Structure formats: C-alpha cells, structure tokens
Coordinates of all heavy atoms in Angstrom, one line a residue:
M3 N 9.5 -3.7 10.9 CA 9.3 -2.3 10.6 C 10.5 -1.6 10.3 O 10.6 -0.3 10.0 CB 8.5 -1.6 11.7 CG 7.0 -2.0 12.0 SD 6.3 -1.3 13.3 CE 5.8 0.3 12.6
L4 N 11.6 -2.3 10.3 CA 12.9 -1.8 10.0 C 13.3 -2.1 8.5 O 12.9 -3.2 7.9 CB 14.1 -2.4 10.9 CG 13.8 -2.1 12.3 CD1 14.9 -2.9 13.2 CD2 13.8 -0.8 12.7
H5 N 13.9 -1.1 7.8 CA 14.1 -1.2 6.4 C 15.7 -1.0 6.1 O 16.0 0.0 6.8 CB 13.3 -0.3 5.6 CG 11.7 -0.6 5.7 ND1 11.1 -1.4 4.9 CD2 10.9 -0.1 6.7 CE1 9.8 -1.3 5.4 NE2 9.7 -0.6 6.5
R6 N 16.2 -1.9 5.3 CA 17.7 -1.8 5.1 C 17.9 -1.0 3.8 O 19.1 -0.7 3.6 CB 18.2 -3.2 5.0 CG 17.9 -4.0 6.2 CD 18.4 -5.4 6.1 NE 19.9 -5.4 6.3 CZ 20.6 -6.6 6.3 NH1 20.1 -7.7 6.0 NH2 21.7 -6.5 6.7
K7 N 17.0 -0.5 3.1 CA 17.1 0.2 1.9 C 16.2 1.4 2.0 O 15.2 1.3 2.6 CB 16.8 -0.6 0.6 CG 17.7 -1.8 0.3 CD 17.4 -2.4 -1.0 CE 16.1 -3.2 -1.1 NZ 15.8 -3.9 -2.2
P8 N 16.5 2.5 1.3 CA 15.7 3.7 1.4 C 14.3 3.3 0.8 O 14.1 2.6 -0.1 CB 16.4 4.6 0.5 CG 17.8 4.2 0.5 CD 17.8 2.7 0.6
Q9 N 13.3 3.8 1.4 CA 11.9 3.7 0.9 C 11.5 4.9 0.0 O 12.2 5.9 0.0 CB 10.9 3.7 2.1 CG 11.2 2.4 3.0 CD 10.4 2.5 4.2 OE1 9.5 3.5 4.4 NE2 10.5 1.6 5.0
G10 N 10.4 4.7 -0.7 CA 9.9 5.8 -1.5 C 9.4 6.9 -0.6 O 9.2 6.7 0.6
K11 N 9.2 8.2 -1.2 CA 8.6 9.2 -0.5 C 7.3 8.9 0.3 O 7.0 9.3 1.2 CB 8.4 10.5 -1.5 CG 7.8 11.5 -0.8 CD 7.6 12.8 -1.9 CE 7.0 13.9 -1.2 NZ 6.7 15.0 -2.2
Y12 N 6.6 8.0 -0.6 CA 5.3 7.5 0.0 C 5.4 6.0 0.0 O 5.7 5.3 -0.9 CB 4.2 7.8 -0.9 CG 4.0 9.3 -1.0 CD1 4.2 9.9 -2.1 CD2 3.4 9.9 0.1 CE1 4.1 11.3 -2.3 CE2 3.3 11.4 0.0 CZ 3.5 12.0 -1.3 OH 3.4 13.4 -1.3
H13 N 5.4 5.4 1.3 CA 5.6 4.0 1.4 C 4.2 3.4 1.6 O 3.4 3.6 2.7 CB 6.4 3.6 2.7 CG 6.7 2.3 3.0 ND1 7.3 1.6 1.9 CD2 6.5 1.4 4.0 CE1 7.5 0.3 2.4 NE2 7.0 0.2 3.6
V14 N 3.9 2.5 0.6 CA 2.5 2.0 0.6 C 2.5 0.5 1.2 O 3.3 -0.2 0.6 CB 2.0 1.8 -0.9 CG1 0.6 1.3 -1.0 CG2 2.0 3.3 -1.5
Q15 N 1.8 0.3 2.2 CA 1.7 -1.0 2.7 C 0.3 -1.5 2.5 O -0.8 -1.0 3.0 CB 2.1 -1.0 4.3 CG 3.3 -0.5 4.4 CD 3.7 -0.3 6.0 OE1 3.1 0.5 6.5 NE2 4.5 -1.1 6.5
V16 N 0.2 -2.7 2.0 CA -1.1 -3.4 1.7 C -1.1 -4.6 2.5 O -0.3 -5.6 2.3 CB -1.3 -3.6 0.1 CG1 -2.7 -4.3 -0.1 CG2 -1.1 -2.4 -0.6
C17 N -2.2 -4.6 3.2 CA -2.4 -6.0 4.1 C -2.9 -7.1 3.2 O -4.0 -6.8 2.6 CB -3.2 -5.6 5.3 SG -3.7 -7.1 6.3
T18 N -2.3 -8.3 3.4 CA -2.9 -9.5 2.8 C -3.3 -10.5 3.8 O -3.4 -11.6 3.5 CB -2.1 -10.0 1.6 OG1 -0.7 -10.3 2.2 CG2 -1.9 -8.9 0.5
N19 N -3.3 -10.1 5.1 CA -3.6 -11.1 6.2 C -5.1 -11.4 6.1 O -5.9 -10.9 5.3 CB -3.1 -10.5 7.5 CG -2.6 -11.6 8.4 OD1 -2.6 -11.5 9.6 ND2 -2.2 -12.8 7.8
I20 N -5.5 -12.3 6.9 CA -6.8 -13.1 6.8 C -8.1 -12.3 6.6 O -8.8 -12.4 5.6 CB -7.1 -14.0 7.8 CG1 -8.2 -15.1 7.5 CG2 -7.1 -13.4 9.1 CD1 -8.0 -15.9 6.3
S21 N -8.2 -11.2 7.3 CA -9.4 -10.4 7.2 C -9.5 -9.6 5.9 O -10.4 -9.5 5.2 CB -9.8 -9.4 8.3 OG -9.8 -10.1 9.6
C22 N -8.3 -9.1 5.5 CA -8.1 -8.3 4.4 C -8.2 -9.2 3.1 O -8.7 -8.9 2.1 CB -6.8 -7.5 4.4 SG -6.9 -6.1 5.5
L23 N -7.5 -10.4 3.3 CA -7.6 -11.5 2.2 C -8.8 -11.7 1.8 O -9.3 -12.0 0.6 CB -6.7 -12.7 2.7 CG -6.7 -13.7 1.8 CD1 -5.5 -13.6 0.7 CD2 -6.3 -15.1 2.5
L24 N -9.8 -12.0 2.8 CA -11.2 -12.4 2.4 C -11.9 -11.4 1.7 O -13.0 -11.8 1.2 CB -11.9 -12.8 3.8 CG -11.3 -14.0 4.5 CD1 -12.0 -14.2 5.9 CD2 -11.6 -15.3 3.7
V25 N -11.5 -10.1 1.7 CA -12.3 -9.2 1.1 C -11.5 -8.4 0.0 O -11.7 -7.3 -0.3 CB -13.0 -8.1 2.1 CG1 -14.1 -8.7 2.9 CG2 -11.9 -7.6 3.0
G26 N -10.5 -9.0 -0.6 CA -9.8 -8.7 -1.8 C -8.5 -8.0 -1.5 O -8.0 -7.4 -2.4
G27 N -7.8 -8.2 -0.4 CA -6.5 -7.6 0.0 C -5.4 -8.0 -1.0 O -4.6 -7.2 -1.4
E28 N -5.4 -9.4 -1.3 CA -4.4 -9.9 -2.2 C -4.5 -9.3 -3.5 O -3.5 -8.9 -4.2 CB -4.5 -11.5 -2.2 CG -3.2 -12.0 -2.9 CD -3.1 -13.5 -2.7 OE1 -2.8 -13.9 -1.5 OE2 -3.4 -14.3 -3.6
E29 N -5.8 -9.2 -4.1 CA -6.0 -8.5 -5.4 C -5.5 -7.2 -5.3 O -5.1 -6.6 -6.3 CB -7.5 -8.6 -5.8 CG -8.0 -10.0 -6.1 CD -8.3 -11.0 -4.9 OE1 -8.2 -10.4 -3.8 OE2 -8.6 -12.1 -5.1
L30 N -5.9 -6.5 -4.2 CA -5.5 -5.1 -4.1 C -3.9 -4.9 -4.1 O -3.5 -4.0 -4.8 CB -6.0 -4.6 -2.7 CG -6.0 -3.1 -2.5 CD1 -6.9 -2.2 -3.6 CD2 -6.5 -2.7 -1.3
Y31 N -3.3 -5.8 -3.4 CA -1.8 -5.8 -3.5 C -1.4 -6.0 -4.9 O -0.5 -5.3 -5.3 CB -1.2 -6.8 -2.5 CG 0.3 -7.0 -2.8 CD1 1.3 -6.1 -2.3 CD2 0.8 -8.0 -3.5 CE1 2.6 -6.1 -2.5 CE2 2.2 -8.2 -3.8 CZ 2.9 -7.3 -3.3 OH 4.3 -7.2 -3.7
H32 N -1.8 -7.0 -5.6 CA -1.2 -7.2 -7.0 C -1.8 -6.0 -7.9 O -1.0 -5.6 -8.8 CB -1.9 -8.4 -7.5 CG -1.4 -9.7 -6.9 ND1 -0.1 -10.0 -7.1 CD2 -1.9 -10.5 -6.1 CE1 0.1 -11.1 -6.4 NE2 -0.9 -11.6 -5.8
H33 N -2.9 -5.4 -7.6 CA -3.3 -4.1 -8.4 C -2.2 -3.1 -8.1 O -1.8 -2.4 -9.0 CB -4.7 -3.6 -8.0 CG -5.1 -2.4 -8.7 ND1 -5.6 -2.3 -10.0 CD2 -5.1 -1.2 -8.2 CE1 -5.8 -1.2 -10.3 NE2 -5.5 -0.3 -9.2
A34 N -1.8 -2.9 -6.8 CA -0.9 -1.8 -6.5 C 0.5 -2.1 -7.1 O 1.1 -1.2 -7.7 CB -0.7 -1.7 -5.0
S35 N 0.8 -3.3 -7.1 CA 2.1 -3.9 -7.8 C 2.2 -3.5 -9.2 O 3.1 -3.1 -9.7 CB 2.3 -5.3 -7.5 OG 3.5 -5.7 -8.0
K36 N 1.1 -3.9 -9.9 CA 1.1 -3.6 -11.4 C 0.9 -2.1 -11.6 O 1.6 -1.7 -12.5 CB -0.3 -4.3 -11.8 CG -0.4 -4.1 -13.4 CD -1.6 -5.1 -13.9 CE -1.7 -4.9 -15.3 NZ -2.8 -5.6 -15.8
K37 N 0.1 -1.3 -10.9 CA 0.0 0.1 -11.1 C 1.4 0.8 -11.0 O 1.7 1.6 -11.7 CB -1.0 0.8 -10.2 CG -1.2 2.2 -10.5 CD -2.3 2.7 -9.7 CE -2.4 4.3 -9.8 NZ -2.8 4.6 -11.1
L38 N 2.1 0.5 -9.8 CA 3.4 1.1 -9.5 C 4.5 0.4 -10.3 O 5.6 1.1 -10.4 CB 3.6 1.0 -8.0 CG 2.6 1.8 -7.2 CD1 2.9 1.5 -5.7 CD2 2.7 3.2 -7.5
G39 N 4.4 -0.8 -10.9 CA 5.5 -1.4 -11.5 C 6.6 -1.9 -10.7 O 7.8 -2.0 -11.1
I40 N 6.2 -2.2 -9.5 CA 7.3 -2.7 -8.4 C 6.6 -3.8 -7.6 O 5.4 -4.0 -7.5 CB 7.7 -1.5 -7.5 CG1 6.7 -0.8 -6.8 CG2 8.6 -0.6 -8.2 CD1 7.0 0.2 -5.7
G41 N 7.5 -4.6 -6.9 CA 7.1 -5.6 -6.2 C 7.3 -5.3 -4.7 O 7.7 -4.2 -4.3
H42 N 7.2 -6.3 -3.9 CA 7.3 -6.4 -2.5 C 8.7 -5.7 -2.1 O 9.7 -6.2 -2.6 CB 7.1 -7.8 -1.9 CG 7.4 -7.8 -0.5 ND1 6.5 -7.2 0.5 CD2 8.3 -8.5 0.3 CE1 7.0 -7.6 1.7 NE2 8.0 -8.3 1.6
K43 N 8.7 -4.7 -1.3 CA 9.9 -3.9 -0.8 C 10.7 -3.3 -1.8 O 12.0 -3.3 -1.7 CB 10.7 -5.0 0.2 CG 10.0 -5.3 1.4 CD 10.9 -6.0 2.4 CE 10.0 -6.2 3.7 NZ 11.0 -6.7 4.8
Q44 N 10.1 -3.0 -3.0 CA 10.7 -2.4 -4.0 C 10.3 -0.9 -4.0 O 9.2 -0.5 -3.5 CB 10.5 -3.0 -5.3 CG 11.1 -4.5 -5.4 CD 10.9 -4.9 -6.8 OE1 10.0 -4.7 -7.5 NE2 11.8 -6.0 -7.1
T45 N 11.2 0.0 -4.7 CA 10.9 1.4 -4.9 C 10.9 1.8 -6.3 O 11.7 1.3 -7.0 CB 12.0 2.1 -4.0 OG1 12.0 1.8 -2.7 CG2 11.7 3.7 -4.1
T46 N 9.9 2.6 -6.6 CA 9.9 3.1 -8.0 C 11.2 3.9 -8.5 O 11.8 4.4 -7.5 CB 8.6 4.1 -8.3 OG1 8.8 5.2 -7.4 CG2 7.4 3.2 -8.2
A47 N 11.5 3.8 -9.7 CA 12.8 4.5 -10.2 C 12.8 6.0 -9.7 O 13.9 6.4 -9.6 CB 12.8 4.3 -11.6
D48 N 11.6 6.7 -9.7 CA 11.7 8.1 -9.3 C 11.7 8.3 -7.8 O 11.7 9.4 -7.4 CB 10.4 8.8 -10.1 CG 9.1 8.2 -9.6 OD1 9.1 7.3 -8.7 OD2 8.2 8.6 -10.1
G49 N 11.7 7.2 -7.1 CA 11.8 7.3 -5.7 C 10.5 7.8 -5.0 O 10.5 8.1 -3.8
I50 N 9.3 7.9 -5.7 CA 8.2 8.4 -5.2 C 7.5 7.4 -4.3 O 6.9 7.5 -3.2 CB 7.3 9.0 -6.2 CG1 7.8 10.2 -6.9 CG2 5.9 9.4 -5.6 CD1 7.2 10.9 -8.0
F51 N 7.3 6.1 -4.9 CA 6.6 5.0 -4.1 C 7.5 3.9 -3.8 O 8.3 3.4 -4.6 CB 5.5 4.6 -5.0 CG 4.4 5.7 -5.2 CD1 4.3 6.2 -6.3 CD2 3.5 6.0 -4.3 CE1 3.3 7.2 -6.6 CE2 2.5 6.9 -4.4 CZ 2.3 7.6 -5.5
S52 N 7.3 3.3 -2.7 CA 7.7 1.9 -2.4 C 6.5 1.2 -2.0 O 5.4 1.7 -1.5 CB 8.8 2.0 -1.3 OG 8.4 2.8 -0.2
L53 N 6.6 -0.1 -2.1 CA 5.5 -1.0 -1.8 C 5.8 -2.2 -0.9 O 7.0 -2.7 -1.0 CB 4.9 -1.5 -3.1 CG 3.8 -2.6 -3.1 CD1 2.5 -1.8 -2.6 CD2 3.6 -3.2 -4.6
E54 N 4.9 -2.5 0.0 CA 5.1 -3.5 0.8 C 3.9 -4.4 1.1 O 2.9 -3.8 1.4 CB 5.7 -3.1 2.2 CG 6.2 -4.2 3.1 CD 7.0 -3.5 4.3 OE1 6.8 -2.4 4.6 OE2 7.6 -4.3 5.1
E55 N 3.9 -5.8 1.0 CA 2.9 -6.5 1.4 C 3.0 -6.8 2.9 O 4.1 -7.4 3.3 CB 3.0 -7.8 0.6 CG 1.7 -8.8 0.9 CD 1.9 -10.1 0.0 OE1 2.8 -10.3 -0.7 OE2 0.9 -10.9 0.1
V56 N 2.0 -6.6 3.6 CA 2.2 -6.6 5.1 C 1.2 -7.6 5.8 O 0.1 -7.9 5.2 CB 2.2 -5.3 5.9 CG1 3.4 -4.4 5.2 CG2 0.8 -4.6 5.6
E57 N 1.6 -8.0 7.0 CA 0.6 -8.7 7.9 C -0.4 -7.8 8.5 O -0.3 -6.6 8.3 CB 1.6 -9.5 8.9 CG 2.4 -10.5 8.3 CD 1.8 -11.6 7.5 OE1 0.7 -12.1 8.0 OE2 2.4 -12.1 6.6
C58 N -1.2 -8.3 9.3 CA -2.3 -7.6 9.9 C -1.7 -6.3 10.5 O -0.8 -6.3 11.3 CB -3.0 -8.4 11.0 SG -4.4 -7.6 11.8
M59 N -2.4 -5.2 10.3 CA -2.1 -3.9 10.8 C -3.0 -3.5 11.9 O -3.1 -2.2 12.4 CB -2.2 -2.8 9.6 CG -1.3 -3.3 8.5 SD -1.2 -1.9 7.2 CE -2.8 -2.1 6.5
G60 N -3.9 -4.3 12.3 CA -4.9 -4.0 13.3 C -6.1 -3.3 12.8 O -6.9 -2.6 13.7
A61 N -6.3 -3.2 11.6 CA -7.4 -2.5 11.1 C -8.5 -3.6 10.4 O -9.2 -3.3 9.4 CB -7.0 -1.5 9.9
C62 N -8.6 -4.8 10.9 CA -9.4 -5.9 10.3 C -10.9 -5.4 10.1 O -11.5 -5.9 9.2 CB -9.2 -7.0 11.2 SG -7.7 -7.5 11.7
S63 N -11.4 -4.6 11.0 CA -12.8 -4.3 10.9 C -13.1 -3.3 9.7 O -14.2 -3.2 9.3 CB -13.2 -3.5 12.2 OG -13.1 -4.3 13.2
W64 N -12.0 -2.8 9.1 CA -12.2 -1.9 8.0 C -11.4 -2.4 6.8 O -10.9 -1.6 5.9 CB -11.6 -0.6 8.4 CG -12.3 0.0 9.6 CD1 -13.5 0.6 9.7 CD2 -11.7 -0.1 10.9 NE1 -13.9 0.8 11.0 CE2 -12.8 0.5 11.8 CE3 -10.6 -0.5 11.6 CZ2 -12.6 0.5 13.1 CZ3 -10.4 -0.4 12.8 CH2 -11.4 0.2 13.6
A65 N -11.3 -3.8 6.7 CA -10.6 -4.4 5.6 C -11.3 -4.3 4.3 O -12.5 -4.1 4.2 CB -10.5 -5.9 5.8
P66 N -10.6 -4.2 3.2 CA -9.1 -4.3 3.1 C -8.4 -2.9 3.4 O -9.0 -1.9 3.2 CB -8.8 -4.7 1.7 CG -9.9 -4.2 0.9 CD -11.1 -4.2 1.7
A67 N -7.4 -3.1 4.2 CA -6.7 -1.9 4.6 C -5.3 -1.6 4.1 O -4.6 -2.5 3.7 CB -6.6 -1.9 6.2
V68 N -5.1 -0.4 3.8 CA -3.8 0.2 3.3 C -3.2 1.2 4.3 O -4.1 1.9 4.7 CB -4.0 0.6 1.8 CG1 -2.6 1.3 1.3 CG2 -4.3 -0.5 0.9
E69 N -2.0 1.3 4.4 CA -1.2 2.4 5.0 C -0.4 3.1 4.1 O 0.4 2.3 3.4 CB -0.5 1.8 6.3 CG -1.2 1.7 7.5 CD -0.4 1.4 8.7 OE1 0.2 0.3 8.7 OE2 -0.2 2.2 9.6
I70 N -0.4 4.2 4.1 CA 0.6 5.2 3.3 C 1.3 6.1 4.2 O 0.6 6.9 4.8 CB 0.0 5.8 2.1 CG1 -0.7 4.9 1.2 CG2 1.0 6.7 1.4 CD1 -1.5 5.4 0.0
N71 N 2.6 5.8 4.4 CA 3.3 6.6 5.5 C 2.7 6.5 6.7 O 2.6 7.5 7.6 CB 3.6 8.0 5.0 CG 4.5 8.1 3.8 OD1 5.1 7.2 3.3 ND2 4.7 9.4 3.4
Y72 N 2.1 5.3 7.0 CA 1.6 5.0 8.3 C 0.2 5.7 8.6 O -0.2 5.7 9.6 CB 2.5 5.2 9.5 CG 3.8 4.2 9.2 CD1 5.0 4.8 8.9 CD2 3.6 2.9 9.5 CE1 6.1 4.0 8.6 CE2 4.8 2.0 9.2 CZ 5.9 2.5 8.8 OH 6.9 1.8 8.5
D73 N -0.3 6.3 7.5 CA -1.6 6.9 7.6 C -2.7 5.7 7.1 O -2.5 5.2 5.9 CB -1.9 8.0 6.8 CG -1.3 9.2 7.4 OD1 -1.3 9.2 8.7 OD2 -1.1 10.2 6.7
F74 N -3.7 5.4 7.9 CA -4.7 4.2 7.5 C -5.6 4.7 6.5 O -6.1 5.9 6.6 CB -5.4 3.9 8.8 CG -4.7 2.8 9.5 CD1 -3.9 3.3 10.8 CD2 -4.5 1.5 9.2 CE1 -3.3 2.4 11.6 CE2 -3.8 0.6 10.0 CZ -3.2 1.0 11.2
H75 N -5.9 3.8 5.5 CA -7.1 4.0 4.6 C -7.8 2.6 4.7 O -7.3 1.6 4.5 CB -6.5 4.2 3.2 CG -5.5 5.4 3.1 ND1 -6.1 6.7 2.9 CD2 -4.2 5.6 3.3 CE1 -5.0 7.5 3.0 NE2 -3.9 6.9 3.2
H76 N -9.0 2.9 4.8 CA -9.9 1.6 5.1 C -10.9 1.3 3.9 O -11.2 2.2 3.1 CB -10.8 2.0 6.3 CG -9.9 2.2 7.6 ND1 -10.2 3.1 8.4 CD2 -8.8 1.8 8.0 CE1 -9.4 3.2 9.5 NE2 -8.5 2.3 9.2
H77 N -11.5 0.1 3.9 CA -12.3 -0.3 2.9 C -11.8 0.2 1.4 O -12.5 0.6 0.6 CB -13.6 0.2 3.1 CG -14.4 -0.1 4.4 ND1 -14.5 -1.5 4.8 CD2 -14.6 0.5 5.5 CE1 -15.0 -1.6 5.9 NE2 -15.1 -0.3 6.4
V78 N -10.5 -0.1 1.1 CA -9.9 0.3 0.1 C -10.2 -0.7 -1.1 O -10.2 -1.8 -1.1 CB -8.4 0.4 0.2 CG1 -7.7 0.8 -1.1 CG2 -7.9 1.4 1.5
T79 N -10.6 0.0 -2.2 CA -10.8 -0.6 -3.4 C -9.7 -0.3 -4.5 O -9.1 0.7 -4.3 CB -12.2 -0.3 -4.1 OG1 -12.2 1.2 -4.3 CG2 -13.4 -0.6 -3.1
A80 N -9.7 -1.1 -5.6 CA -8.7 -0.7 -6.6 C -8.9 0.7 -7.1 O -7.9 1.4 -7.2 CB -8.8 -1.7 -7.7
E81 N -10.2 1.1 -7.1 CA -10.5 2.5 -7.7 C -10.0 3.6 -6.7 O -9.5 4.5 -7.1 CB -12.1 2.6 -8.1 CG -12.4 1.7 -9.3 CD -12.6 0.2 -8.8 OE1 -12.8 -0.1 -7.6 OE2 -12.5 -0.6 -9.8
K82 N -10.4 3.3 -5.4 CA -9.9 4.2 -4.4 C -8.3 4.4 -4.3 O -7.9 5.5 -4.1 CB -10.6 3.9 -3.1 CG -12.0 4.1 -2.9 CD -12.6 3.4 -1.7 CE -12.3 4.3 -0.4 NZ -13.0 3.7 0.7
L83 N -7.6 3.1 -4.3 CA -6.3 3.2 -4.4 C -5.7 4.0 -5.5 O -4.7 4.7 -5.4 CB -5.7 1.8 -4.4 CG -4.2 1.6 -4.1 CD1 -3.9 2.3 -2.8 CD2 -3.8 0.3 -4.3
D84 N -6.3 3.8 -6.7 CA -5.8 4.5 -8.0 C -6.0 6.1 -7.7 O -5.0 6.9 -8.0 CB -6.6 4.2 -9.1 CG -6.2 2.8 -9.7 OD1 -5.2 2.4 -9.3 OD2 -7.1 2.4 -10.6
V85 N -7.0 6.6 -7.2 CA -7.4 7.9 -7.0 C -6.2 8.5 -5.9 O -5.6 9.6 -6.0 CB -8.8 8.2 -6.3 CG1 -8.8 9.7 -5.8 CG2 -9.8 7.8 -7.4
L86 N -6.1 7.7 -4.8 CA -5.1 8.0 -3.8 C -3.6 8.1 -4.3 O -3.0 9.1 -4.1 CB -5.2 7.0 -2.7 CG -4.6 7.3 -1.3 CD1 -5.0 8.5 -0.8 CD2 -4.8 6.0 -0.4
L87 N -3.3 7.2 -5.0 CA -1.9 7.1 -5.6 C -1.7 8.3 -6.6 O -0.6 8.9 -6.6 CB -1.5 5.7 -6.2 CG -1.4 4.6 -5.2 CD1 -1.2 3.3 -5.9 CD2 -0.4 4.9 -4.1
D88 N -2.6 8.5 -7.4 CA -2.6 9.6 -8.5 C -2.5 11.0 -7.8 O -1.7 11.7 -8.2 CB -3.8 9.5 -9.5 CG -3.7 8.3 -10.4 OD1 -2.6 7.7 -10.3 OD2 -4.8 7.9 -10.9
S89 N -3.2 11.1 -6.8 CA -3.2 12.4 -6.0 C -1.8 12.6 -5.3 O -1.4 13.7 -5.2 CB -4.4 12.4 -5.0 OG -4.0 11.6 -3.8
L90 N -1.2 11.5 -4.9 CA 0.1 11.8 -4.3 C 1.1 12.1 -5.2 O 2.2 12.6 -5.1 CB 0.5 10.4 -3.4 CG -0.5 10.1 -2.2 CD1 -0.1 8.8 -1.7 CD2 -0.3 11.2 -1.2
K91 N 0.9 11.4 -6.4 CA 2.0 11.7 -7.5 C 2.1 13.0 -8.0 O 3.1 13.4 -8.7 CB 1.7 10.6 -8.6 CG 2.9 10.5 -9.5 CD 2.8 9.2 -10.3 CE 4.2 9.0 -11.1 NZ 4.3 7.8 -11.9
K92 N 0.9 13.8 -8.0 CA 0.9 15.2 -8.4 C 1.9 16.1 -7.7 O 1.9 15.9 -6.5 CB -0.6 15.8 -8.3 CG -1.5 15.1 -9.2 CD -2.9 15.7 -9.0 CE -3.9 15.0 -9.9 NZ -5.2 15.3 -9.5
P93 N 2.5 17.0 -8.4 CA 3.5 17.9 -7.7 C 2.7 18.6 -6.6 O 1.5 19.2 -6.8 CB 3.9 18.7 -8.8 CG 3.5 18.2 -10.1 CD 2.4 17.2 -9.8
Q94 N 3.3 18.8 -5.4 CA 2.7 19.6 -4.4 C 3.4 20.8 -4.0 O 4.6 20.9 -4.1 CB 2.5 18.7 -3.1 CG 1.6 17.5 -3.4 CD 1.5 16.5 -2.3 OE1 1.7 16.8 -1.1 NE2 1.1 15.3 -2.5
Ligands
FES11 S1 -6.1 -8.5 8.5 FE1 -5.5 -6.7 7.5 S2 -5.7 -5.3 9.0 FE2 -6.0 -7.1 10.0

C-alpha cells in the first residue's frame, strides 16, 4: 500500500485475484488500462488517474471489485467503469 511515486488524483485499483478473475476482473483491468492509456502503477499525463492491478481486497462476494481512492465499487462491468471514470474526469 506504499507508493514511491505520486499517484493520480483518482487512484484506480482493479482486483484480478481469483474471485474477481473468475467473473471478468482481468478483462476489466485491461479495459481500464486501455481506456486510461496507462499500465500498472502508472499515472496519466494530466495527473488525474493512476492505475494499479491488485490482489484480493476482501470484496470477493461482490466481484469483480474496484477501488477508487479506497472507495469500493462492486459488480463492476466495463460499462459501469466507463461511467464512473467519465464522471470523475468532469470538472468539479
Ligand atoms: S478476489 Fe477480488 S476482492 Fe477478493
């Protein structure tokens, strides 16, 4: 949970451990990576998002699970993740 480089304003963690893996967690991670244009432990050029592929976050019953700034999002689909990331990118 320690990071040696600055993270994005929104740190997106996608679980690819077994429960999440079985219901699309890995595909979800790759979708997030493609959408954001960054890989594991990288940050977007504008500093808004960073991405991390993570081990089990203890949310297996609600897989696939994503955390953004340590807020849980359950049963996440690619479409739900798109909506979530797009909403965070809007000026607030
Ligand atoms: S395996 Fe993903 S939260 Fe447990």
Side-chain angles (χ1 to χ4, degrees):
M3 296 180 73
L4 301 175
H5 300 270
R6 302 175 86 181
K7 292 188 289 187
Q9 299 174 358
K11 179 178 179 183
Y12 299 105
H13 186 56
V14 180
Q15 296 174 297
V16 182
C17 177
T18 58
N19 214 204
I20 190 68
S21 296
C22 292
L23 179 77
L24 292 172
V25 290
E28 191 165 288
E29 291 82 359
L30 194 60
Y31 169 76
H32 290 297
H33 178 80
S35 179
K36 186 174 178 184
K37 180 175 178 68
L38 296 174
I40 55 176
H42 178 62
K43 294 193 174 182
Q44 293 182 337
T45 302
T46 55
D48 59 9
I50 295 180
F51 293 105
S52 50
L53 178 64
E54 186 175 14
E55 181 179 9
V56 296
E57 299 294 325
C58 180
M59 304 183 289
C62 312
S63 297
W64 306 281
V68 170
E69 277 187 290
I70 300 178
N71 290 356
Y72 301 105
D73 283 336
F74 279 101
H75 300 273
H76 302 138
H77 301 298
V78 179
T79 62
E81 295 76 21
K82 283 172 78 171
L83 187 62
D84 283 347
V85 169
L86 192 54
L87 295 177
D88 290 344
S89 72
L90 293 172
K91 196 165 185 175
K92 289 180 184 164
Q94 298 180 17

